[in-house]
C-alpha cells in the first residue's frame, strides 16, 4: 500500500522538474552566452541549440531560442548579432521568399578583456592582499568574460606567497567603510613585524597592548598598500595607518571628530593634495621644499609629486624643483635618490639629510 503513494510522488516531482526546465530555457541561453560567446566567438542559433542539448539536456526549436534572445535584450542585456538575407521556402505556398535571419550572437561584457587583464595584473602585485584571497579574486574576474579569456591568461602565475599576510584585511576594510559612512570612531590594535616574521601588537610604556581610537576619514591606496587617513583621537593632526597592520578593529558608537578641528583638514579633505604631499604616507608637517635634481630624473619627479611641482633655474644638466611635501617623506625621498638630488631648503631638512648621509658613510667605513 505504501509503494503507490511513493510512485505517485516520484511522477509528480519528475513532471515538475520537466516543466521547470522549460521555464529555465532563458537562463540556460544566458549562461551559454556568458560562457561561450564574445566578440571573437559568436554563436548561431544552431550552435546555441547544440549547447543547450549538450550542457543542459534541453531541447528547443529555433523560434524558442530567438524569442528568448529577444526577451533577454528587452530585459536590458546587451546582446549583439548580425542579420543576413536568405531565401526560405514557404511551406504553405511552396514558393521561395526572402527573409532576414539573425545570427552571430554574443554577449557584450561590462569589462573588456584588456580591462580585466589590467585588474588581474594589479592583483598579482598587490602585496597587501593575502595570497589565497588574490587567487579567489582573480578567479571571479575571469568569470566576467568568456571561457576563452581564461585560456589566454592561464600562463599568468602569481608571485610566491612568501610575504607575511594579515587575513583580517578585508574585514578591516568592511568595518572602516561602514564607520566612515556612519561618521563613527573605530578602535583597533596596530601591529609591527618582528624577526619571527609575524605581526605583534604595539605596546605602551607599561608593556600593555595599546588600543588605538581614531577618527576615520578616508581609505587610500598608494605604493601597493592601503592606508587609513584619520586622526588619532588623542592629538589634533592627521595620521596615516597601514590597513594590513590593523587587527581587532571595532566600530564605536561615538561620533568622529569634525575635520575642522584637525590640523591640515580645517578647510576639508583634498585627497589628491594629501597624496601628493605624503608620498610615503608619513605623519607630520608639510612645508615647501626646493631641491636641485638631474634632468634625467624628471620622470621620477613627476611620478612622485604630480603636476603641482614647479621648475626653475634650468641648465643643460639640472633643474631646481619646488614642491609642498611632508618633511619626513621628503627626507626619505632625498636619501633614496641622493646621487642625483640635492635638497636646498628648508635649512633644517638640509641638515637632517646631511647627517643621514654622514651616518650612512660611517656604516661603510668612510669618513667625510
Amino acid at each position: 500500500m505504501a509503494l503507490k503513494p511513493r510512485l505517485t510522488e516520484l511522477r509528480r516531482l519528475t513532471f515538475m522538474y520537466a516543466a521547470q526546465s522549460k521555464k529555465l530555457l532563458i537562463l540556460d541561453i544566458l549562461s551559454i552566452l556568458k560562457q561561450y560567446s564574445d566578440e571573437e566567438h559568436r554563436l548561431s542559433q544552431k550552435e546555441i541549440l547544440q549547447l543547450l542539448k549538450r550542457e543542459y539536456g534541453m531541447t528547443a526549436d529555433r523560434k524558442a531560442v530567438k524569442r528568448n534572445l529577444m526577451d533577454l535584450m528587452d530585459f536590458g542585456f546587451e546582446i549583439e548579432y548580425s542579420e543576413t538575407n536568405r531565401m526560405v521556402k514557404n511551406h504553405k505556398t511552396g514558393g521561395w521568399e526572402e527573409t532576414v535571419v539573425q545570427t552571430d550572437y554574443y554577449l557584450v561584457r561590462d569589462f573588456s578583456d584588456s580591462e580585466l587583464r589590467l585588474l588581474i595584473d594589479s592583483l598579482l602585485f598587490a602585496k597587501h592582499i593575502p595570497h589565497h584571497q588574490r587567487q579567489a579574486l582573480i578567479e571571479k574576474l575571469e568569470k566576467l568574460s568568456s571561457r576563452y579569456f581564461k585560456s589566454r591568461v592561464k600562463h599568468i602565475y602569481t608571485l610566491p606567497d612568501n610575504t607575511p599576510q594579515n587575513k583580517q584585511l578585508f574585514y578591516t576594510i568592511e568595518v572602516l567603510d561602514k564607520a566612515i559612512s556612519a561618521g563613527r570612531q573605530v578602535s583597533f590594535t596596530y601591529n609591527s613585524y618582528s624577526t619571527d616574521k609575524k605581526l605583534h601588537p604595539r605596546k605602551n610604556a607599561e608593556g600593555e597592548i595599546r588600543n588605538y581610537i581614531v577618527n576615520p576619514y578616508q581609505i587610500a591606496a598608494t605604493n601597493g598598500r592601503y592606508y587609513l587617513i584619520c586622526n588619532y583621537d588623542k592629538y589634533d593632526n592627521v595620521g596615516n595607518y597601514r590597513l594590513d597592520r590593523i587587527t581587532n578593529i571595532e566600530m564605536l558608537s561615538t561620533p568622529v571628530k569634525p575635520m575642522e578641528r584637525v590640523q591640515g583638514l580645517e578647510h576639508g579633505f583634498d585627497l589628491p593634495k594629501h597624496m601628493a604631499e605624503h608620498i610615503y604616507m608619513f605623519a607630520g608637517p608639510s612645508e615647501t621644499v626646493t631641491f636641485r635634481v638631474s634632468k634625467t630624473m624628471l620622470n621620477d619627479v613627476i611620478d612622485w609629486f604630480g603636476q603641482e611641482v614647479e621648475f626653475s633655474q634650468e641648465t643643460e644638466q639640472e633643474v631646481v624643483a619646488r614642491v609642498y611635501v611632508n618633511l619626513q617623506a621628503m627626507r626619505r625621498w632625498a636619501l633614496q635618490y641622493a646621487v642625483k638630488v640635492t635638497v636646498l631648503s628648508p635649512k633644517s631638512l638640509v641638515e637632517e639629510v646631511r647627517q643621514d648621509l654622514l651616518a650612512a658613510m660611517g656604516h661603510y667605513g668612510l669618513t667625510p
Side-chain angles (χ1 to χ4, degrees), residues 217 229-231 236-239 258-271 273-274 277-278 284-286 324:
Y217 300 121
I229 301 170
C230 61
N231 161 252
D236 295 322
N237 60 331
V238 180
M259 284 190 186
E260 54 266 24
R261 289 171 49 193
V262 180
Q263 295 177 8
L265 301 181
E266 299 92 338
H267 305 292
F269 181 66
D270 186 336
L271 182 59
K273 180 175 179 291
H274 183 88
E277 292 177 17
H278 298 77
S286 297
Y324 190 78

Side-chain angles (χ1 to χ4, degrees), residues 204-250:
N204 57 25
E206 290 73 34
E208 300 171 338
I209 294 178
R210 188 174 172 185
N211 184 43
Y212 287 72
I213 297 178
V214 305
N215 302 289
Y217 300 121
Q218 184 74 43
I219 297 174
T222 185
N223 301 326
R225 308 288 183 186
Y226 274 125
Y227 289 85
L228 171 63
I229 301 170
C230 61
N231 161 252
Y232 188 20
D233 202 48
K234 289 184 177 180
Y235 308 108
D236 295 322
N237 60 331
V238 180
N240 303 305
Y241 293 89
R242 285 218 347 218
L243 265 60
D244 57 317
R245 295 184 181 173
I246 291 175
T247 56
N248 305 319
I249 191 166
E250 180 183 355

Side-chain angles (χ1 to χ4, degrees), residues 34-49:
K34 287 181 176 179
Q35 292 184 67
Y36 291 95
S37 77
D38 56 39
E39 191 170 3
E40 297 178 1
H41 302 86
R42 307 183 183 206
L43 297 173
S44 66
Q45 292 183 31
K46 181 179 179 181
E47 289 170 328
I48 294 174
L49 286 168

Side-chain angles (χ1 to χ4, degrees), residues 264-315:
L265 301 181
E266 299 92 338
H267 305 292
F269 181 66
D270 186 336
L271 182 59
K273 180 175 179 291
H274 183 88
M275 301 303 287
E277 292 177 17
H278 298 77
I279 55 177
Y280 292 110
M281 298 305 285
F282 289 146
S286 297
E287 286 189 29
T288 298
V289 175
T290 59
F291 57 92
R292 185 183 302 111
V293 60
S294 168
K295 291 172 70 174
T296 60
M297 282 276 297
L298 287 180
N299 287 336
D300 298 278
V301 172
I302 297 295
D303 284 345
W304 282 98
F305 299 104
Q307 297 292 329
E308 298 303 314
V309 61
E310 298 177 5
F311 295 114
S312 64
Q313 303 178 42
E314 181 178 358
T315 67

Side-chain angles (χ1 to χ4, degrees), residues 51-242:
L51 288 168
L52 281 169
K53 182 69 174 178
R54 190 183 75 193
E55 299 289 330
Y56 303 101
M58 176 80 70
T59 57
D61 56 36
R62 291 176 184 265
K63 290 183 178 179
V65 169
K66 182 178 179 181
R67 183 173 62 252
N68 282 279
L69 285 167
M70 295 299 105
D71 286 342
L72 286 171
M73 294 180 207
D74 290 340
F75 292 153
F77 290 96
E78 190 174 356
I79 299 173
E80 293 288 340
Y81 60 89
S82 59
E83 294 181 340
T84 58
N85 294 325
R86 292 183 185 176
M87 298 303 295
V88 178
K89 189 174 183 178
N90 188 321
H91 296 289
K92 293 182 178 180
T93 65
W96 292 86
E97 299 177 351
E98 186 177 37
T99 187
V100 177
V101 177
Q102 295 178 353
T103 187
D104 296 335
Y105 294 93
Y106 73 94
L107 182 66
V108 178
R109 313 285 168 160
D110 291 332
F111 294 93
S112 69
D113 285 355
S114 59
E115 290 171 334
L116 289 176
R117 177 62 187 269
L118 179 64
L119 292 172
I120 289 174
D121 286 345
S122 299
L123 281 172
L124 290 177
F125 298 96
K127 295 181 179 180
H128 55 284
I129 301 177
H131 179 79
H132 71 282
Q133 291 178 325
R134 272 183 279 168
Q135 291 289 95
L137 287 171
I138 287 172
E139 290 176 4
K140 289 181 180 180
L141 287 173
E142 289 174 343
K143 291 178 181 178
L144 294 178
S145 188
S146 68
R147 61 190 297 148
Y148 309 106
F149 173 75
K150 187 171 184 178
S151 68
R152 289 197 294 272
V153 297
K154 64 182 180 182
H155 61 283
I156 298 177
Y157 295 94
T158 60
L159 298 175
D161 188 20
N162 58 3
T163 55
Q165 303 289 354
N166 177 3
K167 296 182 179 180
Q168 297 184 30
L169 175 64
F170 282 12
Y171 178 71
T172 298
I173 294 173
E174 182 180 348
V175 173
L176 286 174
D177 277 340
K178 292 179 180 178
I180 292 171
S181 298
R184 305 260 288 276
Q185 291 184 324
V186 295
S187 67
F188 55 75
T189 301
Y190 201 59
N191 303 268
S192 298
Y193 284 106
S194 186
T195 54
D196 61 2
K197 304 174 186 177
K198 295 181 180 179
L199 287 172
H200 295 272
R202 291 189 178 182
K203 299 181 179 180
N204 57 25
E206 290 73 34
E208 300 171 338
I209 294 178
R210 188 174 172 185
N211 184 43
Y212 287 72
I213 297 178
V214 305
N215 302 289
Y217 300 121
Q218 184 74 43
I219 297 174
T222 185
N223 301 326
R225 308 288 183 186
Y226 274 125
Y227 289 85
L228 171 63
I229 301 170
C230 61
N231 161 252
Y232 188 20
D233 202 48
K234 289 184 177 180
Y235 308 108
D236 295 322
N237 60 331
V238 180
N240 303 305
Y241 293 89
R242 285 218 347 218

